Amino acid sequence: MSDIEQYMTQVGRQARGAARAMSRAATAAKDAALRAIAAAIEAQQAELLEANNKDMQAGRDDGLDAALLDRLELNEARIAGMAEGLRQIAALPDPVGGISDLSYRPSGIQVGKMRVPLGVLGIIYESRPNVTADAAGLALKSGNAAILRGGSEALHSNQAIARCVHAGLEKAGLPAAAVQVLETVDRAAVGKLITMPEYVDVIIPRGGKGLIERISAEARVPVIKHLHGVCHVYLDDEADLEKAIQIAFNAKTHRYGVCNAMETLLVAEGIAERVLPELSGMYLEKGVELRGCQTTCRLVPAAKPATQEDWDTEYLAPILSIRVVKDVDEAIDHIAAHSSSHTESIVTENYTRARRFLREVDSSSVMVNASTRFADGFEYGLGAEIGISTDKFHVRGPVGLEGLTSQKYVVLGEGQIRQ
Amino acid sequence: MSDIEQYMTQVGRQARGAARAMSRAATAAKDAALRAIAAAIEAQQAELLEANNKDMQAGRDDGLDAALLDRLELNEARIAGMAEGLRQIAALPDPVGGISDLSYRPSGIQVGKMRVPLGVLGIIYESRPNVTADAAGLALKSGNAAILRGGSEALHSNQAIARCVHAGLEKAGLPAAAVQVLETVDRAAVGKLITMPEYVDVIIPRGGKGLIERISAEARVPVIKHLHGVCHVYLDDEADLEKAIQIAFNAKTHRYGVCNAMETLLVAEGIAERVLPELSGMYLEKGVELRGCQTTCRLVPAAKPATQEDWDTEYLAPILSIRVVKDVDEAIDHIAAHSSSHTESIVTENYTRARRFLREVDSSSVMVNASTRFADGFEYGLGAEIGISTDKFHVRGPVGLEGLTSQKYVVLGEGQIRQ
C-alpha cells in the first residue's frame, strides 16, 4: 500500500469511528461546537489572514487568473461571513432523530421513520476556502463525519480553518476527527477517497464540470452531484407582460456566473411581438449578447442567429439564447430536449398551463411567475446548502441538512411475533 | 456496436420516451392498467401455465435443484396471487404529484416539494417469474418506466407475463414500452443495462449476494441494493422474560431462508441463566443448531463453540449463534461490528435503553419488543415492496412506491424577482 493509501485509510477509519459518536451527539453539543468554531474563527482572524496571504502569494506567483484569486481570497468580511454562517446553522432545527409517520399496523406494531445521518461525507471542492467552514458546519449539524478535500491552492487557508474547527469540536466534547481536512495535495488522495465505500458513504463534489464528471465516472460510492444549469424561462401568451419582462430580465442579468441564471428564453409566438422588442432593448443596454431563432432575429435585428449548440450551452456570461415557440407544449418539449434539469420557470396567468408546467417539467426546481434566481438553499428556507443536486436519486435541488440524512424504520411493539 | 448493444440502446430509448408519458399519466389510467393486467393474467392462465411448463421442463433437464424449481414454478394459486397483488397496488394511493411542505418565504414566493418518479428503473432478478408482475406493477403505479431482466431459466414464463402487462397497458391507453421485459438471455445485456445512465436512472438487483455484488461493482448508475441480513435480537436484563422467549424463538424459527430472520441472539448476562436453558430447549426441539460463546456453551451443553466467522454469517438455515453480553452497550457494540444493517430488535421494559437502542443502532429497521420478521413492506403498510434496501442512500429498509420516487422543488410566485 502506498503512503497516500495508508494515510487515506487512517483518515477513513478515524472518520468512521467519529461518525458513530456524531450520530448520537446531543443537539446542544453540536450547536455548542458550531458556536465555538465561529468564535475561534473570529479570534483567529489574524492567523487566517496570514495563512490566506501565503496562498494568495503562491497563487499570484503561479499566475492564477483574477477570478480564481478573488475566490481564493479571505478578508475581514468573508471571515465574518463564515462565523455568521456557522451561527445560522446552529440556529437551524436538528434533523437527526426526528420521527415521522408513526402509525399502528393491524399486527399491533407501531411503525415510523427516524431521520438519521448518512455517516461519512467526502466533500471535494476548489479554491474558495470558506467552503471548508460551511461544509464542516453542515456535516456537523446533520450528525455526519466529514473528510474535506479543498483545492491545493487554498491549502494554508484550509488548514488554518481546520484548526478552528477542531478547537470548536474539542471544546464541545466532540471528536476532532468528525471533520478532517486532508493535509495532502496529492491527487491520488482523491482517487482513494472516492473508492473506499467501507469508510465513505457519499461523495459531494463542488467545482467545475470537469472535476464532477471525473469523480462521477470513477467513484465507487454514491455521488450527490451538481452538474450544470441550462435554465429556461417560458413566457406564455397569457402572461402578465410586466411580470414577464421583469422576471426574464432578472433571471438573466441579476448575476451571470451562477448556475440558476437563465440561459435560454422561450417566448410564446402570441406575445413575441409585444415582449421581445422592449425586453431585448433592456438586455442590449445591459450589454447582453442575444442569439435567437429565425423569428427572434426578425423581431430583434441586433440578435445573431443561434446555432444548434446554443440551446445546450450554459453560458455563465452575458449571453442569452432566445427561441419563439408555438405554445406551452412546444416549450415543455424544448425544455425536455435541452434542459440540464436544474431550474425552469413559466410566466403565465393561465391556471391549467401553470399546473401542467409544474407537473410535466422534470427539473430539480420548477417555478411559476418567479425568477430562476430563487433556486437556492437560503431562498428556500433550508438555512444553508452544500450544493444543488441535479440528480434525481436521494435528493434533488438545493441540498441542506435534510439532504445529508436518510431515514430508517423504527418499530415499537409489546412482544409481537409474526403469525 | 454489437447486436446486443444495439438492442439495449433501442430498449433504453423506448423506455426513456415511455417514462415521460408515465410521469404525467393520470392516476385513473395507471390504476386501470393495473386492473387490466390482473384480468389478463387471470384470463391467460392456461397460456401462463403452458409457458411455465416449458421452463420447468428445461429446468429439470438442466438439473436445477428442487428449491430453484420450486421458485420457478407457476401454479393456479401463484397466478391468482400475481393478479391479487396488482389489484392491491391499484388500491394504494398514488405517490406521484403529492406536494408537501408548501410554505411562504420572506421574499413572497411559496416553496414546496412535489413527489416525482425516478424515471427508468432497471430491475434484474432471478428465477421467480411472479417478480415480473410485481415489479411491473410497482414501476407503473409510481409513474416510472421499467426494463426487466429476469432469470434465463424463466424466459418463457416471463415473456408470457409480459404479454399480459402489455395488453393491460394498451387497454388503458398507456405506452407498452413502459414495461419492457428483455427477450434475450445474453449476459452482455445486463452489462449494457447497468452502464447506460442516459437511459436508466436506477438499477434494482434482486437475487443472490454474488449477483448484487457484481452489479454494484460494475454499475455506472445508482443501485438500490439489498445485500444480506445478519439480524440480531438483544434480550436485555430488564426484558419481560415471556416476551423475550417468544420473540427470540419467532425471529429464528418462523422462517429460516429469509433476510429478516435472526442469525445472532445477544443475551444480557443478568438474565442468561434464566432464559437460555428454556429457549435453547425450544430451539433444539425444533432442530436448530446452536453455536455459542463460552458462557453460552456453559449454560447450554448442546451448543457448539462459535467461531469468529459465525458472528458475521447469514445462515439462512436452522443455525443460530448466541452470545452473552454484559449490557446494552456491549450489545450495541457487537451489532455495530457485525450487523449487516438490516434489522435489529431489543427486548426490554427499560425506557432509556429502548430509546438508546432505537437511536444508536444504525440499521434499516430498529425494533423494540417485536420480532425481526416484521421487517417487510406489507407489514409496514407499504402495500408491496420491490426489495429491502440495506444502503443508507436514497432509501433504507423496505422499498415501496415512495422509494421509487424523488422530490423536486416547486415555487409559486406572483412575479417575484431576486433583489
Side-chain angles (χ1 to χ4, degrees):
Chain A
M1 209 190 276
S2 72
D3 282 358
I4 208 77
E5 281 188 344
Q6 261 174 344
Y7 167 68
M8 290 305 296
T9 302
Q10 192 199 343
V11 165
R13 200 176 292 129
Q14 287 174 350
R16 182 59 78 209
R20 219 178 131 200
M22 292 305 295
S23 75
R24 63 185 178 219
T27 306
K30 296 189 287 188
D31 292 345
L34 287 162
R35 285 188 292 260
I37 298 168
I41 283 175
E42 287 168 340
Q44 301 285 312
Q45 180 174 297
E47 288 81 353
L48 292 179
L49 290 174
E50 196 189 313
N52 184 245
N53 209 32
K54 277 191 210 166
D55 290 331
M56 290 292 286
Q57 195 53 55
R60 276 187 289 262
D61 293 348
D62 290 352
L64 295 190
D65 68 28
L68 257 174
L69 285 171
D70 176 59
R71 285 205 283 277
L72 181 56
E73 187 179 1
L74 286 181
N75 51 38
E76 290 185 18
R78 285 183 179 176
I79 290 173
M82 283 196 282
E84 172 58 17
L86 290 164
R87 292 199 178 96
Q88 282 177 6
I89 294 172
L92 291 172
D94 187 346
V96 177
I99 296 182
S100 59
D101 304 323
L102 197 62
S103 63
Y104 281 96
R105 298 290 307 148
S107 62
I109 60 171
Q110 203 180 5
V111 180
K113 288 191 270 191
M114 184 191 281
R115 202 160 275 287
V116 290
L118 287 175
V120 177
L121 319 176
I123 304 174
I124 300 166
Y125 51 104
E126 292 171 337
S127 50
R128 292 195 305 128
N130 43 332
V131 173
T132 308
D134 292 356
L138 286 166
L140 199 168
K141 180 78 182 221
S142 55
N144 291 289
I147 301 172
L148 307 182
R149 167 50 144 87
S152 55
E153 65 284 3
L155 187 66
H156 294 99
S157 311
N158 289 336
Q159 291 302 326
I161 296 167
R163 285 190 289 275
C164 299
V165 172
H166 293 154
L169 283 165
E170 279 170 357
K171 199 162 176 188
L174 296 174
V179 178
Q180 296 179 82
V181 180
L182 295 190
E183 289 166 12
T184 172
V185 296
D186 192 326
R187 293 188 72 165
V190 172
K192 182 70 181 166
L193 181 63
I194 66 177
T195 52
M196 44 183 207
E198 62 279 31
Y199 299 127
V200 177
D201 294 290
V202 58
I203 293 288
I204 305 174
R206 291 185 54 160
K209 210 174 152 181
L211 172 83
I212 293 171
E213 284 180 340
R214 185 171 70 87
I215 285 170
S216 305
E218 294 169 16
R220 297 253 45 91
V221 281
V223 177
I224 295 180
K225 66 176 173 289
H226 172 148
L227 257 180
H228 58 310
V230 180
C231 300
H232 296 74
V233 173
Y234 166 60
L235 307 181
D236 185 55
D237 54 8
E238 292 195 21
D240 173 312
L241 293 193
E242 181 55 27
K243 289 179 192 169
I245 288 169
Q246 289 304 321
I247 289 172
F249 186 68
N250 182 263
K252 182 68 228 180
T253 66
H254 184 257
R255 274 181 73 185
Y256 296 113
V258 289
C259 60
N260 58 15
M262 168 179 67
E263 305 292 12
T264 298
L265 175 66
L266 302 172
V267 185
E269 61 183 12
I271 57 159
E273 283 182 41
R274 276 177 292 155
V275 162
L276 277 182
E278 178 180 347
L279 191 52
S280 57
M282 292 164 68
Y283 285 133
L284 293 167
E285 193 176 322
K286 189 91 181 172
V288 177
E289 179 188 329
L290 304 177
R291 302 181 186 176
C293 67
Q294 242 177 337
T295 312
T296 302
C297 290
R298 188 167 50 73
L299 294 170
V300 182
K304 298 181 201 168
T307 64
Q308 197 53 38
E309 208 188 344
D310 275 304
W311 309 120
D312 297 307
T313 301
E314 182 182 31
Y315 301 114
L316 296 172
I319 305 172
L320 176 69
S321 57
I322 305 177
R323 186 177 161 198
V324 175
V325 294
K326 194 163 157 284
D327 54 16
V328 68
D329 286 290
E330 206 172 289
I332 292 173
D333 283 345
H334 179 98
I335 289 167
H338 301 287
S339 160
S340 65
S341 298
H342 190 296
T343 299
E344 332 294 337
S345 182
I346 183 174
V347 185
T348 190
E349 296 299 313
N350 182 296
Y351 170 84
T352 298
R353 294 182 201 160
R355 269 171 53 99
R356 279 198 52 206
F357 193 88
L358 278 177
R359 170 92 188 242
E360 295 180 24
V361 171
D362 185 32
S363 299
S364 79
S365 289
V366 189
M367 305 183 168
V368 179
N369 294 337
S371 170
T372 55
R373 286 283 292 128
F374 282 106
D376 173 290
F378 281 98
E379 292 295 337
Y380 284 1
L382 308 186
E385 66 175 40
I386 201 149
I388 295 183
S389 166
T390 50
D391 287 326
K392 289 190 233 183
F393 208 67
H394 189 68
V395 64
R396 277 193 108 170
V399 182
L401 293 175
E402 200 176 285
L404 300 178
T405 64
S406 181
Q407 288 184 304
K408 70 182 178 189
Y409 281 94
V410 291
V411 175
L412 308 177
E414 292 95 26
Q416 277 83 3
I417 58 173
R418 272 292 281 278
Q419 301 301 330
Chain B
M1 209 191 277
S2 72
D3 282 359
I4 209 78
E5 281 189 342
Q6 262 176 341
Y7 168 67
M8 290 306 295
T9 302
Q10 191 200 343
V11 166
R13 198 174 295 129
Q14 287 173 349
R16 182 58 81 209
R20 220 179 131 199
M22 291 306 293
S23 75
R24 62 184 179 221
T27 305
K30 295 189 287 187
D31 291 346
L34 287 162
R35 286 188 291 260
I37 298 167
I41 283 174
E42 287 168 340
Q44 302 286 311
Q45 180 174 297
E47 288 80 354
L48 292 180
L49 289 174
E50 195 188 316
N52 184 247
N53 209 33
K54 279 191 207 164
D55 289 330
M56 291 292 287
Q57 195 53 55
R60 277 186 289 262
D61 293 347
D62 290 352
L64 294 191
D65 67 29
L68 256 174
L69 285 171
D70 176 58
R71 284 205 284 277
L72 181 57
E73 187 179 2
L74 285 181
N75 52 38
E76 289 186 20
R78 285 182 180 178
I79 290 173
M82 284 196 280
E84 172 58 17
L86 290 164
R87 291 197 180 97
Q88 281 176 8
I89 294 172
L92 291 172
D94 188 344
V96 177
I99 296 181
S100 60
D101 305 322
L102 197 61
S103 63
Y104 281 95
R105 297 289 307 148
S107 62
I109 61 172
Q110 203 180 6
V111 179
K113 289 192 270 189
M114 183 190 281
R115 202 160 274 288
V116 291
L118 287 174
V120 176
L121 319 177
I123 304 173
I124 301 165
Y125 51 103
E126 293 171 335
S127 49
R128 291 196 304 130
N130 43 331
V131 173
T132 307
D134 293 355
L138 286 166
L140 199 168
K141 180 79 182 220
S142 55
N144 292 289
I147 301 172
L148 307 183
R149 166 51 144 88
S152 55
E153 65 283 4
L155 188 67
H156 294 99
S157 310
N158 289 336
Q159 291 301 327
I161 296 168
R163 284 191 289 275
C164 298
V165 173
H166 293 154
L169 283 165
E170 279 170 358
K171 197 161 179 191
L174 295 175
V179 179
Q180 296 179 82
V181 180
L182 294 190
E183 289 167 12
T184 171
V185 296
D186 192 325
R187 293 188 71 165
V190 172
K192 181 70 182 165
L193 180 64
I194 65 177
T195 52
M196 44 182 206
E198 63 278 29
Y199 300 127
V200 176
D201 294 290
V202 58
I203 293 288
I204 305 173
R206 292 185 54 159
K209 212 176 152 178
L211 172 83
I212 293 171
E213 284 181 339
R214 185 171 69 87
I215 285 170
S216 304
E218 293 170 16
R220 298 253 44 92
V221 282
V223 177
I224 295 179
K225 66 175 173 290
H226 173 149
L227 258 179
H228 58 310
V230 180
C231 301
H232 296 75
V233 173
Y234 166 60
L235 307 182
D236 185 55
D237 54 8
E238 293 195 19
D240 174 311
L241 293 192
E242 182 54 29
K243 289 179 192 171
I245 287 169
Q246 288 306 319
I247 289 171
F249 186 69
N250 183 263
K252 182 69 227 180
T253 65
H254 184 258
R255 273 182 71 185
Y256 297 113
V258 289
C259 58
N260 58 14
M262 170 178 65
E263 305 292 12
T264 299
L265 175 67
L266 302 171
V267 184
E269 61 183 13
I271 55 160
E273 284 183 39
R274 278 177 292 157
V275 163
L276 277 182
E278 178 178 349
L279 192 51
S280 57
M282 291 163 69
Y283 287 132
L284 292 168
E285 193 175 322
K286 189 91 181 173
V288 178
E289 178 188 329
L290 303 178
R291 303 180 185 176
C293 67
Q294 243 177 338
T295 311
T296 302
C297 290
R298 189 167 50 75
L299 293 170
V300 182
K304 299 181 201 167
T307 64
Q308 198 52 40
E309 207 189 344
D310 275 305
W311 309 120
D312 298 306
T313 301
E314 182 182 30
Y315 302 114
L316 297 172
I319 306 172
L320 175 70
S321 57
I322 305 177
R323 186 176 161 200
V324 175
V325 294
K326 195 166 155 283
D327 54 16
V328 69
D329 286 289
E330 206 172 288
I332 292 174
D333 284 343
H334 179 97
I335 289 167
H338 301 287
S339 160
S340 65
S341 298
H342 190 298
T343 300
E344 330 295 336
S345 181
I346 184 175
V347 184
T348 189
E349 295 299 313
N350 182 295
Y351 170 84
T352 299
R353 293 182 201 161
R355 269 172 51 99
R356 280 197 52 205
F357 193 88
L358 278 177
R359 171 91 187 240
E360 295 179 25
V361 171
D362 185 31
S363 298
S364 79
S365 289
V366 188
M367 305 183 168
V368 178
N369 294 338
S371 168
T372 55
R373 286 283 294 128
F374 282 106
D376 174 289
F378 281 98
E379 291 294 337
Y380 284 1
L382 308 185
E385 65 174 40
I386 200 149
I388 295 181
S389 167
T390 51
D391 287 326
K392 289 191 231 183
F393 208 69
H394 189 69
V395 63
R396 277 192 108 170
V399 181
L401 292 175
E402 201 176 284
L404 301 178
T405 64
S406 180
Q407 287 183 307
K408 69 182 179 191
Y409 281 94
V410 291
V411 175
L412 308 178
E414 292 94 27
Q416 277 83 2
I417 58 173
R418 270 294 278 279
Q419 300 300 330

